[in-house]
Amino acid sequence: MSSFVIVGAGECGARAAFALRERGFDGAITLVGTEPLLPYERPPLSKDAIVAGAGPKFVADAARFEAEGIRTIIGVSVAAIDRAGRSVVLSDGSRLPYDKLLLTTGASARELPAAPCSDGRIRVLRSHADASAIRPHMAEGSHIAIIGGGFIGLELAASARKLGASVTLLEGLPRVLTRGVPAEIAEVVCNRHRGAGVDLLCGIKIAAIEERPSEVRITLEDGRVIAANLLIVGIGSAPNVALADAAGLAIDNGIAVDQHLRTSDSDIFAAGDCCSYPLGLYGGRRIRLESWRNAHEQGELAAANMAGAEAPISSVPWFWSDQYDLTLQIAGLAEGAVTTVRRDLSAEAFILFHLAGDGRLLAASGIGPGNAIARDIRLAEMLIAAGRHPDPAALAAPEIKLKQLLAA
Ligand SMILES: Cc1cc2nc3c(=O)[nH]c(=O)nc-3n(C[C@H](O)[C@H](O)[C@H](O)COP(=O)(O)OP(=O)(O)OC[C@H]3O[C@@H](n4cnc5c(N)ncnc54)[C@H](O)[C@@H]3O)c2cc1C
């Protein structure tokens, strides 16, 4: 009987395990994860887990794993891959043989060397344990400092304001959301935060961070001092590649995989936040995505290819973020775009279409309340996947349905 081992019990690993069964794989499947919980979804960690104190949103319960014949080993890490012996060594010293191995080791929150994460007042947010440690500080009367104007920092700022805490958000660059988000959309986000009372400071330089028993003091280069009950560092994350690296697998901004999610060892696959992959739709450009849907879809694709399908990556990158009543969504990659066309869906919702020099639609970024932009972003995604060159005037005209452009 074949034995498949999956390292990393997050969204991607769990999805891969179930997808293997859905494809009829009847060999042994073992899912190994460092965290002491069954796989759970991370997006609620900066949202409901903080605002409502929600418990982990599990991908599936223990009974479902059991029913599918998926063995879960949680609270245990894979310490090494023995490629010659085709087995993995666990942190408890035991060994698991594999015929095929999938690495879904995810990413870890980056820390500031000058102020490493502590068990006290300096925190990062990646796990449910992190969210549980952060939440008690988010009460009314408390002051939260956040370093980093990326998605996680901004979502946490919104959650903190909902709970009545005051928030100072510090961003070193001239604006928030510099990675992949157009300035026009970042400005809407920024205004919404300022309107909600967040003290949002861009272009700042930090001179010192001092953790004291009762507060964290952040001194800026211009002499300003911010005293906070809690400092959350939201400066991005780094792919967990140490295991793959030590095993001699190729690394390139993540575990390097080919279009079938295969690593430099043909029996080892990698998927989700931990891997970088070539995107055929964008000329084979290698990217690494940290996105829930990517983790979900790549789990399924890895399962298919471990089962012998040889199916290439074909999905369009997609990401969403919820802040207050606003939802932001981005489909595709805007880099290389030379024209941007704006489509106003209402006074509060709009989409920007990013077009290449030859008119091909590369990406669409939108923002609006609730699900105001969801449908058009979904259709834009289909236009991107189909390699369409839509008429810019039609994109700009909300009365012309994007569905029509798809059919044209
Ligand atoms: C706070 C937060 C909010 C987010 N919000 C959004 C959002 O709104 N929209 C969106 O699209 N995406 C969002 N994301 C991103 C999304 O959650 C991730 O892209 C997704 O979780 C990646 O799944 P993964 O399975 O690849 O990795 P992970 O979820 O990181 O899971 C990897 C697992 O592998 C384990 N592991 C690592 N090394 C080993 C080892 N050696 N042995 C055993 N286990 C190991 C880790 O402990 C971890 O449990 C958010 C992420 C965070 C942290």
Side-chain angles (χ1 to χ4, degrees), residues 336-339 354-362 387-390 392:
V338 297
T339 318
H354 311 278
L355 301 155
D358 65 356
R360 184 163 79 95
L361 182 60
L362 294 177
R388 292 297 177 85
H389 297 64

Side-chain angles (χ1 to χ4, degrees), residues 22 29 37 51 65 78 94 110 141 152 225 275 280 285 307 336 350 363 376 392:
E22 286 154 18
I29 304 173
L37 296 170
V51 177
F65 282 102
V78 169
S94 59
R110 287 185 203 276
I152 289 181
V225 176
C275 78
R285 206 176 114 200
F350 68 91
D376 273 4

Side-chain angles (χ1 to χ4, degrees), residues 2 89 107 141-142 148 183 189 237 270:
S2 291
V89 183
S142 162
V189 172
S237 49

